[in-house]
Amino acid sequence: TATSTPTPTATSTPTPTAIPLPVRIEAVPPDTIEISWEAVPGAVRYAVRMWDFEEAYGVYVTGDNHTETSFTYQPATSGHIYFFVVYPVNSEGQNITFLRSPFLTMP
């Protein structure tokens, strides 16, 4: 009996799709950082925490009633590295998830 060798078939390689970062971040020199994100279903407000790695601290930079899907941080310092996390909060006051920004070095 003859044995047959399977013939390789061409398979297509999927095209990678860019996945946007949940939090967009932009430096606006000389001292402003603007961040924005898509609305999160179930969120009634957002808490935003900022880290300044040169100063080695992270602090909440929005009040308890921040309902917009953007935030402007000032004063940012040239040469410092910043990072933001957005915490969507539901009507019961619970964090639903979190959204991260990429790192930004302020020009």
Side-chain angles (χ1 to χ4, degrees), residues 31-81:
D31 68 349
T32 302
I33 298 173
E34 294 180 352
I35 66 169
S36 61
W37 57 93
E38 298 297 320
V40 174
V44 296
R45 63 184 174 89
Y46 299 92
V48 178
R49 189 164 187 182
M50 178 274 302
W51 278 266
D52 178 342
F53 288 98
E54 301 302 317
E55 299 294 331
Y57 66 83
V59 295
Y60 284 96
V61 290
T62 56
D64 287 337
N65 294 313
H66 188 81
T67 58
E68 298 173 18
T69 56
S70 63
F71 179 74
T72 300
Y73 175 75
Q74 288 179 302
T77 304
S78 179
H80 284 213
I81 301 168

Side-chain angles (χ1 to χ4, degrees), residues 60-103:
Y60 284 96
V61 290
T62 56
D64 287 337
N65 294 313
H66 188 81
T67 58
E68 298 173 18
T69 56
S70 63
F71 179 74
T72 300
Y73 175 75
Q74 288 179 302
T77 304
S78 179
H80 284 213
I81 301 168
Y82 293 90
F83 174 74
F84 291 82
V85 176
V86 176
Y87 297 94
V89 180
N90 66 18
S91 60
E92 288 81 36
Q94 301 167 330
N95 290 346
I96 298 170
T97 186
F98 65 94
L99 311 171
R100 298 179 303 198
S101 77
F103 294 96

